[in-house]
Amino acid sequence: MAKCPKCGMEVSTPRRSWKMAGRPFRSGKSTELTIGIFDHCRTSFRAVLPERQP
Ligand SMILES: [Zn+2]
């Protein structure tokens, strides 16, 4: 879910999404971010998607 920067509406379904490795912590554990591309108001914007709980 991401907010459209133009109208402020929340768009729930990304057009495209992919996983990206985040910066590893000092402990050596790396994080994984899910990035999504959303379309609304004839514009597209990126947002980091929250981790899905198993
Ligand atoms: Zn919009």
Side-chain angles (χ1 to χ4, degrees), residues 4-9 11 40-41 45:
C4 172
K6 285 200 173 180
C7 72
M9 206 179 120
V11 187
H40 208 253
C41 297
F45 54 99

Side-chain angles (χ1 to χ4, degrees), residues 3-38:
K3 229 173 216 184
C4 172
K6 285 200 173 180
C7 72
M9 206 179 120
E10 292 200 324
V11 187
S12 54
T13 314
R15 168 160 58 90
R16 228 192 118 214
S17 68
W18 68 94
K19 285 195 171 179
M20 211 172 87
R23 195 174 295 178
F25 292 114
R26 271 178 293 177
S27 60
K29 189 183 166 194
S30 63
T31 55
E32 212 172 47
L33 297 171
T34 306
I35 315 290
I37 294 271
F38 296 81

